[in-house]
Amino acid sequence: MSNATRACIALLLLAAAPAFAQQAPAFAQQAPAAGATPPAPLAWSSLAPEQRKLLSRYAGQWDSLPPARQQTLAYGSERWLGMSSEQRDKARERFSHWRELPPEERHAMRGRWQSFQALPPNEQARVRENFHKFQQLPPARRQMLREQWHKASPAERQQMIEHARERGGKGQMPRPSQAPRPQHR
């Protein structure tokens, strides 16, 4: 993922500050609050045969895995089995791309994900919505917005974010003629 793409996604996350309002999947949920009951161990035999086949490399150590890890693996295997072959191919491609990223980029992306997860559900929903709107734009427009974001100073980026928030539900970034002009540094 290029720096411009990451910057644009960051802009969308900040400007939208509300769009991914779905319940977080089990693997993305945070540790239980103090006093909450920790997850119960999951018996290997309670998994569907297809899940056991998919998770066969964990069979010998399943009972020694922490219950939260068991739950995560069970949930992930259930999701995987529910995917079409096309969705699985895309997931493999994304995972391959993830493994190729330098550790510092993965760390930064995890941090952004955690920041996103810390947003209230209505703000997560807005971020998701704006991201999907961005994906619907023609490629040339997306590239222009990435370049505009990449060239902007931090102050100009903040102005762009504020302008996007003012526009509210319109979900569009300012056109180049309306956008703050980059200042020479």
Side-chain angles (χ1 to χ4, degrees):
M1 186 181 299
S2 71
N3 287 336
T5 302
R6 280 192 300 280
C8 192
I9 290 171
L11 170 66
L12 289 170
L13 287 171
L14 290 172
F20 288 103
Q22 299 171 343
Q23 168 86 15
F27 64 85
Q29 293 177 355
Q30 304 207 344
T37 308
L42 193 60
W44 179 254
S45 61
S46 71
L47 298 175
E50 297 85 11
Q51 287 178 293
R52 288 195 301 263
K53 181 178 178 185
L54 189 61
L55 298 172
S56 62
R57 68 179 175 167
Y58 297 101
Q61 62 188 22
W62 186 260
D63 291 334
S64 66
L65 292 174
R69 180 73 173 138
Q70 291 174 346
Q71 298 283 345
T72 299
L73 289 168
Y75 175 79
S77 65
E78 199 173 305
R79 281 188 65 198
W80 183 261
L81 293 168
M83 290 181 183
S84 68
S85 61
E86 182 180 297
Q87 290 170 319
R88 289 179 186 178
D89 289 344
K90 286 182 181 180
R92 282 185 194 102
E93 185 180 317
R94 286 191 305 267
F95 184 68
S96 175
H97 176 72
W98 173 259
R99 283 193 324 238
E100 293 170 4
L101 290 175
E104 58 277 359
E105 277 191 56
R106 281 188 265 168
H107 179 74
M109 289 177 79
R110 280 188 194 102
R112 287 191 298 271
W113 174 250
Q114 289 168 349
S115 296
F116 171 76
Q117 289 293 300
L119 294 173
N122 65 327
E123 290 185 23
Q124 290 182 9
R126 195 165 133 212
V127 172
R128 281 190 180 101
E129 180 183 324
N130 285 342
F131 178 75
H132 292 300
K133 286 179 181 179
F134 179 79
Q135 293 298 313
Q136 304 277 321
L137 293 173
R141 176 86 171 119
R142 289 194 314 255
Q143 185 60 34
M144 187 273 307
L145 288 170
R146 286 182 189 111
E147 289 171 7
Q148 183 180 348
W149 178 259
H150 185 67
K151 291 176 184 176
S153 70
E156 292 165 337
R157 289 178 182 177
Q158 188 60 42
Q159 287 177 340
M160 293 164 75
I161 291 168
E162 289 169 11
H163 183 79
R165 285 184 177 150
E166 288 170 8
R167 292 178 63 95
K170 296 185 178 67
Q172 296 179 349
M173 292 301 298
R175 297 217 178 264
S177 61
Q178 300 169 330
R181 299 279 187 240
Q183 300 170 352
H184 298 311
R185 288 170 227 136

